[in-house]
Amino acid sequence: MHDRIRDARMLERVMSAEQAAELIRPGMTVAMSGFTGAGYPKAVPQALAARMESAHAAGDKFRIRVLTGASTAPELDGALAKVDGMELRLPYQSDPALRERINAGELDYLDIHLSHVAQHTWFGFFGEIDLAVIEVAGVLEDGRLIPSSSVGNNKTWLEQAGTVILEVNRFQPAELEGMHDVYYGTALPPHRKPIPLTSPEDRIGEPYLRVDPDKIAAIVETDAPDRNSPFNPPDEASQQIAGHLLEFLGHEIGRGRLTEKLLPLQSGVGNIPNAVLEGLAAGGYRGLTAYTEVIQDGMLKLIKDGVLKMASATSFSLSRAGVDEFNAHVDYYRERIILRTQEISNHPELVRRLGCIALNGMIEADIYGNINSTHVAGSRIMNGIGGSGDFARNGYLSVFMSPSTAKAGQVSSIVPMASHVDHTEHDTMVVVTEQGLADLRGLAPKQRARSIIENCAHPDYRPLLQDYFDRACRDGYGRHTPHLLGEALSWHQRFVETGSMRPAG
């Protein structure tokens, strides 16, 4: 294992996860690596959770504040949540145990744009970072670090933390070396300069992370896979949504607003984005690029088939089959994938300059195009806003996609008024469900409402939405964006009370 730790000075700092976890004390702010279930520490958080559980059993409080890149896995978020080990978590999560504690009001959760995390840390908005726990693939002779399967905020954590614990994970292929591009040219206002990236293929940094060796207090050797979540094949609704979107892109090409190379793609994770990626391949597209957050199984296939010539991201999010494919052809993919820090992968300046096509999911949209990406019935968090806002507000096209109903038809994804707004109508250009696509560009509010109701709502809910809109136009306080405030959220109230948005009878 020591072949992954080439700096002889570091060998004396190798210890067990249990010994390393002793460095973490109650009340600390601890930054950890990890982004969409990749590149997170596996051993130290579990050893820490065991310490916390013992402390709580003895009647002692032991909770910490946890910052990451995005979601992690059961070994980190799940383990700490189950023992009530966190008092605050940011910026994105997807673990069921953690979500349950957040929604029970048992810990504070700060949901912010992923591009903001690093700079808000540098601004001091989160206070001092006491300690960082970072997974890497190796340590070079001069002390520089080979990043793991995600980069996320690791550059910032290593720079800002007073103490560093490294997990050197042998499971991560050594051939990751050279795939990363870590940019060290950022600065605080008013000393910022333009970021010199004009194409997804550009490399503007270096392939390694830097760290002050005096900060490293412990190194833990591990050999464990990432959270390799399996992906289900796209269902019928996902394929229909993809079909509507691909038809729309074809029309945009026909109108001369896009070329057959499109523009750099940003894609969320899940069935619908995977269906879109499959559709691009089937549609004959070749030589495309991606400037996004996450490399999924579908993108590996597109790269291998020549549909994508280059993909830039900050992390992988692969199934076990995807990991096997990547590891078997890592030399090939290393030339066609770049992993960057998330402050660069999600940077608004770059998203706007490149003209990304932003493809993101949603929980619901209202009839005017306000998008709720995060909360059920306005108050119960699902995962978080992630990077969708970074791309939606700044991209060339901002597309939000969802099936028109959920919970076997008991919930409509198109509602009179969004119960929580993550992306305002000003940032929403296109809404797509399996029913159809609403192109909202250049439309005034009432025109947007008519398009969304007609094209995107499920037939079971379309008459109800039309009735609400007609009465709002007649009886609403104003006629610009008509609403009936007394019943605008009545669908959500009915869902909370009965489990269905359908009216009684």
Side-chain angles (χ1 to χ4, degrees), residues 35-84:
F35 195 107
T36 58
Y40 57 92
K42 280 79 172 171
V44 173
Q46 294 183 86
L48 176 62
R51 280 189 65 212
M52 290 171 163
E53 189 171 34
S54 297
H56 293 163
D60 298 324
K61 291 184 178 179
F62 196 153
R63 304 174 86 202
I64 61 174
R65 296 157 52 94
V66 177
L67 292 65
T68 65
S71 59
T72 63
E75 300 98 313
L76 196 167
D77 277 333
L80 297 181
K82 287 176 182 177
V83 298
D84 191 23

Side-chain angles (χ1 to χ4, degrees), residues 155-313:
K155 167 184 170 290
T156 296
W157 302 154
L158 291 167
E159 291 172 325
Q160 288 283 293
T163 302
V164 173
I165 299 172
L166 297 179
E167 285 198 11
V168 180
N169 188 357
R170 188 180 188 85
F171 187 90
Q172 304 289 6
E175 292 83 0
L176 281 172
E177 184 174 356
M179 176 176 283
H180 308 84
D181 186 62
V182 183
Y183 179 61
Y184 280 92
T186 55
L188 297 180
H191 306 293
R192 285 178 166 168
K193 297 179 180 179
I195 298 171
L197 187 148
T198 58
S199 169
E201 297 99 320
D202 289 349
R203 288 183 174 272
I204 59 174
E206 55 192 74
Y208 306 108
L209 290 161
R210 306 175 193 167
V211 63
D212 179 352
D214 292 336
K215 287 185 178 184
I216 300 176
I219 296 179
V220 177
E221 297 175 311
T222 63
D223 190 352
D226 285 330
R227 181 196 73 195
N228 306 130
S229 300
F231 288 107
N232 296 321
D235 57 17
E236 182 179 0
S238 299
Q239 291 174 337
Q240 290 172 331
I241 291 168
H244 297 313
L245 179 60
L246 292 165
E247 182 180 6
F248 168 76
L249 293 176
H251 286 313
E252 291 296 289
I253 293 171
R255 295 185 181 105
R257 292 197 282 247
L258 289 171
T259 72
E260 292 184 353
K261 301 296 184 185
L262 300 179
L263 283 165
L265 301 171
Q266 177 262 332
S267 174
V269 177
N271 272 358
I272 296 174
N274 277 329
V276 172
L277 296 177
E278 288 184 6
L280 290 170
Y285 289 95
R286 294 293 183 272
L288 307 181
T289 60
Y291 194 82
T292 188
E293 301 165 294
V294 175
I295 303 294
Q296 308 174 65
D297 288 27
M299 284 194 175
L300 291 185
K301 187 175 189 309
L302 295 190
I303 292 170
K304 196 170 186 180
D305 294 345
V307 179
L308 279 178
K309 67 177 182 177
M310 173 60 70
S312 169

